[in-house]
Amino acid sequence: MRLSVCLIMFACLSCTHIASAAEDGENINKKQAIELALTQYQGRTLKITEQNDSFVVRILQTDGRVIDIRVDKKTGTVTKD
């Protein structure tokens, strides 16, 4: 239980830091894109690619499905492809 609470707090703090970086006009990096994608879609990261204004994070979910998540480089907005 404590581990879950710690992980949730860490995710929230990470997202806050990433959001503030985006507000400062800085683009997010690959590591931050992965963190943002995994806060909304649980699983294991398989691949990350860079495309124009976004990163595409490929995630293997616990049920075996593979999904592509798009993370905007400037805003950090996460959308499922």
Side-chain angles (χ1 to χ4, degrees):
M1 178 75 177
R2 285 186 178 177
L3 179 60
S4 297
V5 172
C6 289
L7 289 174
I8 291 170
M9 289 178 59
F10 175 74
C12 290
L13 291 173
S14 295
C15 290
T16 303
H17 173 70
I18 295 167
S20 66
E23 289 172 2
D24 292 340
E26 299 175 20
N27 286 345
I28 63 171
N29 60 36
K30 286 183 179 182
K31 183 178 178 181
Q32 291 169 326
I34 292 169
E35 290 173 2
L36 284 169
L38 291 175
T39 58
Q40 293 190 24
Y41 297 94
Q42 304 302 311
R44 189 180 82 186
T45 304
L46 297 176
K47 181 180 180 181
I48 183 166
T49 56
E50 202 167 342
Q51 295 182 349
N52 299 331
D53 297 338
S54 62
F55 292 107
V56 177
V57 182
R58 180 162 288 168
I59 296 175
L60 172 63
Q61 295 186 308
T62 55
D63 63 2
R65 290 184 302 148
V66 176
I67 58 172
D68 287 335
I69 307 301
R70 188 171 300 276
V71 181
D72 188 280
K73 288 181 184 178
K74 293 181 182 178
T75 64
T77 302
V78 177
T79 55
K80 184 175 175 184
D81 271 355

